[in-house]
């Protein structure tokens, strides 16, 4: 029986993969959706007719599966095809200021821009004051306001931006005003109140743990700090930051067991477990991983009710098919993909890995290691498609933190149920705080381990490399079957030996030997920190750091490679995450901080952390000046107490450096064209080096660059970023002013110095915009 069940389940894998492929094709190439519908229906009915006309009365299971496969692909394509006209109508709103009336359909989270971001399903969208009927999913970002709960009906005015093909949201709306037309009602209103009460109760507890607990229990991540979020990502624990699909299994299992303990029959156990599951999904909001797990748990309950208990690959495949037929855009959603991959790994890969590990360690320990290792091996290639780092420390971190997550979830849910009795709810919340604090500490400590993460260039190439390494590790750990073939194990061993050798060589180059690979006489350095700014100026061994980027690992790599231990002057041009997100790397290592105007308590807390580390804080404005070694610096912008340009991009600090072997240089922060024009009146003479404003966005003043006439223009941006930075017209503008343009997205770390009064430029990589090597470097 076990063998036949295993075969039946595996035979459903092609069905899930085919539907997934059809969904991806139709969401990325929507013009093909109706063609896929027609082909799928035609193929399905053709096979069915051939089966019925055949003389063989034994209808083979594989023929029936082919019919279901073709019709399921057609169903997923049909869902995408019917949604096409509405999404095309939404695309026509790109770039316009519009009104929408919509229902909130997801939980909200704080984005890097400080906005509150959430998904909605619109009913009206269009011209402000008179929007037209339009039903499409959108992603909306607004200033933080209460009441944006699942099921609430809202009106938002803002600027629309179309999304890339394959994204679930048809538009992204940058809201300027938001009005709650109807708060969440019924079960959604009850869930919102329960969730709000628990968040208030949890956030009164101390850190670490208070900010993470609402995410673990009810899926609210708004209290998770940027520092903790970065640590969770670096340590491979980001799946615990919010409720994941595993929590659905915990809820269903707990209710099923409790009813059975009380003597309830099969029907009662299943009905109550499914009821609890539905209530839990409403409480935490239906994120992709929760949807997948909820559908899978529901199918498992139904098979149990029918007297054929089955939970495995077959149930997962049916869940995937059902979900993608209902919403094909989930096929391209990272959360859903990772959730399905991790579940498949736990079913298929974890048992043989655990058995293999049991050859060298006790079986319980082998199981404890095998589960997170299987999930890591399956999810690693997917993460490499879009993430700039891979967690090396993730497996031991998950072993330490993983067991605490279900404890925090269950006790947190008990606190929600006990809300009518405040003392009891407080007791449960305080009890859930302990495992949440354990997870937070584990993440923070793991993220600080040297070499705990590996920086990668996201994309198909990185995914293939990580997949090859994952397969090699899996083969060597598993026993029997394909993994026992001698040449397979030999090839896997060779792959890992080569990988270890390459990683070891890279570690030597990035750490102890890094300083031997770069010019010694550099004066200006632009670090490759992805989509962000982090630039260094050096004179007589004193160092200034202008912004930090938002990736701590990338900033640390750059500072280590240049042998920078201490920062004499830290310039924070403004407080966007891509300029200050990695400031924790230099806390306790800074003498003086020059910073722009602040407009939030979070920004004040960031500065307070630097002050606790011994830094002197200086609110800078035009006219301030000082020295760095033998060089001099001057602040040219913003004007003191300016009301025209509040805190943000247009109030970025603009600083110039000159003298002491530092070429005359100007760093423009994220200034837009209007303040650039006003700055032009303060420009005296030309500059050897200019850091182009706002990562090379299109919002530049040509007149300023004509005045500056830089010899070298630095463009600091992330490779293949979503903003299209640097823009071609901005590069052309700098080159028209006579500048050599250098880009961190293509050329990595950039070093500039003076040799015999002439500029020298060194780049980490020799790449041009078309991807070819530049022979002149």
């Amino acid at each position: 029986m076990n063998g036949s069940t295993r075969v039946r389940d595996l035979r459903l894998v092609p069905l899930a993969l085919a539907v997934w492929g059809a969904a991806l094709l139709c969401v990325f190439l929507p013009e093909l959706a109706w063609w896929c519908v027609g082909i799928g229906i035609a193929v399905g009915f053709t096979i069915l007719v051939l089966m019925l006309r055949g003389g063989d009365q034994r209808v083979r299971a594989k023929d029936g599966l082919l019919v279901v496969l073709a019709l399921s692909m057609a169903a997923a394509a049909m869902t995408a095809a019917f949604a096409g006209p509405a999404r095309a109508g939404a695309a026509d709103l790109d770039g316009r200021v519009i009104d929408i009336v919509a229902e909130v359909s997801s939980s909200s989270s704080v984005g890097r821009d400080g906005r509150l971001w959430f998904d909605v399903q619109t009913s009206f969208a269009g011209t402000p004051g008179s929007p037209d009927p339009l039903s499409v999913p959108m992603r909306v970002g607004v200033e933080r306001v209460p009441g944006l709960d699942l099921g609430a009906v809202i009106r938002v005015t803002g600027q629309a931006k179309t999304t890339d093909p394959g994204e679930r949201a048809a538009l992204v709306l940058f809201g300027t005003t938001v009005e709650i037309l109807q708060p969440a009602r019924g079960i959604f209103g009850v869930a919102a109140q329960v969730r709000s009460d628990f968040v208030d109760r949890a956030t009164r507890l101390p850190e670490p743990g208070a900010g993470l607990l609402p995410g673990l229990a009810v899926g609210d991540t708004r209290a998770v700090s940027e520092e903790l979020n970065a640590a969770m990502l670096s340590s491979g624990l980001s799946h615990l930051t919010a409720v994941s699909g595993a929590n659905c299994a915990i809820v269903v299992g707990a209710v099923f067991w409790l009813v059975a303990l009380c003597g309830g029959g099969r029907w009662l156990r299943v009905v109550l477990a499914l009821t609890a599951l539905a209530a839990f999904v409403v409480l935490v909001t239906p994120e992709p991983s929760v949807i997948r797990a909820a559908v899978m748990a529901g199918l498992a309950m139904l098979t149990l009710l029918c007297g054929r208990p089955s939970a495995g690959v077959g149930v997962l495949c049916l869940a995937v098919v059902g979900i993608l037929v209902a919403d094909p855009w989930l096929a391209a959603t990272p959360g859903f993909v990772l959730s399905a991959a991790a579940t498949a790994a736990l079913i298929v890969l974890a048992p043989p890995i655990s058995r293999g590990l049991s050859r060298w360690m006790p079986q319980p320990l082998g199981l404890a290691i095998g589960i997170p290792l299987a999930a890591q091996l399956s999810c690693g290639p997917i993460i490499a498609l879009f993430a700039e780092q891979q967690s090396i420390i993730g497996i031991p971190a998950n072993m330490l933190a993983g067991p605490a997550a279900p404890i925090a979830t269950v006790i947190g849910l008990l606190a929600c149920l006990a809300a009518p009795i405040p003392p009891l709810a407080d007791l449960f919340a305080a009890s859930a705080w302990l495992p949440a604090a354990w997870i937070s500490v584990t993440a923070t400590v793991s993220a600080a381990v040297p070499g705990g993460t590996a920086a990668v260039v996201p994309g198909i190439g990185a995914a293939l490399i990580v997949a090859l390494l994952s397969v090699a590790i899996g083969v060597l750990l598993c026993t029997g079957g394909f993994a026992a073939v001698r040449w397979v194990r030999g090839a896997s061993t060779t792959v890992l030996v080569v990988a270890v050798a390459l990683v070891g060589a890279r570690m030597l180059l990035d750490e102890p030997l890094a300083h031997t690979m770069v010019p010694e006489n550099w004066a200006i350095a632009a670090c490759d920190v992805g989509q962000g700014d982090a630039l260094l100026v050096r004179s007589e061994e004193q160092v200034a750091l202008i912004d930090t980027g938002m990736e701590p690992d990338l900033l640390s790599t750059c500072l280590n490679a240049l042998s920078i231990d201490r920062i004499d002057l830290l310039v924070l041009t403004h407080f966007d995450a891509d300029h200050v997100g990695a400031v924790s790397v230099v806390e306790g290592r800074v003498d003086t901080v020059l910073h722009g105007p602040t407009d939030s308590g979070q920004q004040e807390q960031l500065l307070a952390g630097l002050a606790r580390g011994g830094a002197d804080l200086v609110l800078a404005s035009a006219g301030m000046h000082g020295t760095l070694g033998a060089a001099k610096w001057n602040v040219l912008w913003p004007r003191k107490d300016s009301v025209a340009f509040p805190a943000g991009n247009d109030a970025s600090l603009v600083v110039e450096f000159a003298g002491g072997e530092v070429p005359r240089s100007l760093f423009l922060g994220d200034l837009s064209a209007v303040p650039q024009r006003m700055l032009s009146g303060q420009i005296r003479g030309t500059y050897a080096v200019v850091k182009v404003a706002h990562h090379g966005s299109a919002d530049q003043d040509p007149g300023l660059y004509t005045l500056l006439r830089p010899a070298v223009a630095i463009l600091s941006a992330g490779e293949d970023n979503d903003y299209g930075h640097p823009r071609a017209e901005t590069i052309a503008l700098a080159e028209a002013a006579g500048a050599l343009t250098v880009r961190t997205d293509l050329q990595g770390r950039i070093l500039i110095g003076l040799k015999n009064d002439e500029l020298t430029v060194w780049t980490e990589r020799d790449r041009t915009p078309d991807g070819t090597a530049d022979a002149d470097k």
Side-chain angles (χ1 to χ4, degrees), residues 547-581:
D547 292 330
T548 69
M550 62 180 166
E551 299 289 349
D553 289 340
L554 297 180
L555 179 62
S556 294
T557 297
C558 183
L559 295 179
N560 291 338
L562 298 175
S563 301
I564 303 298
D565 295 321
R566 186 152 193 90
I567 305 298
D568 299 280
L569 177 67
L570 174 62
V571 180
L572 300 179
T573 60
H574 60 299
F575 289 89
D576 283 358
D578 57 340
H579 291 256
V580 302

Side-chain angles (χ1 to χ4, degrees), residues 330-625:
L330 284 176
T333 303
F336 181 77
V337 178
L338 289 170
S339 176
T343 303
L346 296 181
I347 296 170
V348 177
L349 193 57
I353 286 181
S354 299
R355 288 193 298 269
L357 292 173
S358 298
R359 292 174 292 177
W360 306 299
M361 60 188 68
Q363 186 173 358
L365 182 59
L367 183 63
I369 297 176
I371 290 175
L373 179 57
Q376 193 85 0
L377 293 179
S378 65
C379 293
I382 301 170
I383 294 173
L385 286 171
F386 53 84
E388 294 183 346
Q389 62 181 20
Q390 285 277 326
S391 177
I392 307 300
I393 199 71
I395 295 171
N398 273 277
M399 289 176 58
L400 291 171
I407 299 173
T409 299
V410 171
I411 300 178
L413 290 176
L414 291 176
C416 292
L417 295 174
I421 311 174
L424 184 59
D426 289 339
L427 177 61
F428 281 131
S431 301
W433 170 85
L434 186 60
W438 171 256
I439 295 172
S440 296
V441 172
T442 301
T444 303
V445 173
S446 300
V449 173
T453 59
V456 297
V457 178
I460 295 178
L464 291 175
I465 292 173
V466 175
L468 179 63
L469 294 174
S470 297
V471 170
I473 294 172
V475 165
L476 293 180
L477 291 179
C478 292
T479 57
F482 181 70
V485 179
R486 179 175 297 179
W487 72 265
V488 173
R489 299 186 71 83
S492 300
T493 302
T494 302
V495 168
L496 290 182
V497 169
V498 171
V500 170
L502 291 175
V503 170
R506 182 60 187 265
M507 289 178 65
L508 286 174
L509 292 175
D510 276 351
E511 300 293 340
L513 298 183
H515 65 279
T516 67
M517 303 299 293
V518 299
E520 294 183 357
N521 63 338
W522 66 269
I524 298 171
C527 293
D528 180 11
V529 291
Q531 183 64 15
D533 275 6
L535 300 107
L536 295 152
V537 179
R538 184 178 68 171
S539 176
E540 292 187 344
E541 303 308 317
Q542 289 197 358
V543 175
L545 172 63
I546 304 169
D547 292 330
T548 69
M550 62 180 166
E551 299 289 349
D553 289 340
L554 297 180
L555 179 62
S556 294
T557 297
C558 183
L559 295 179
N560 291 338
L562 298 175
S563 301
I564 303 298
D565 295 321
R566 186 152 193 90
I567 305 298
D568 299 280
L569 177 67
L570 174 62
V571 180
L572 300 179
T573 60
H574 60 299
F575 289 89
D576 283 358
D578 57 340
H579 291 256
V580 302
V583 76
S584 59
V585 171
V586 295
E587 282 186 2
R589 302 161 59 186
V590 177
D591 290 337
T592 302
V593 177
L594 287 182
H595 65 88
T598 61
D599 62 0
S600 73
Q602 187 176 18
Q603 296 171 8
E604 295 289 349
Q605 290 175 9
L606 183 147
L607 292 174
L610 289 166
R612 286 193 297 270
D616 295 326
L617 305 181
V618 179
L619 175 59
S621 59
M624 288 187 177
H625 55 85

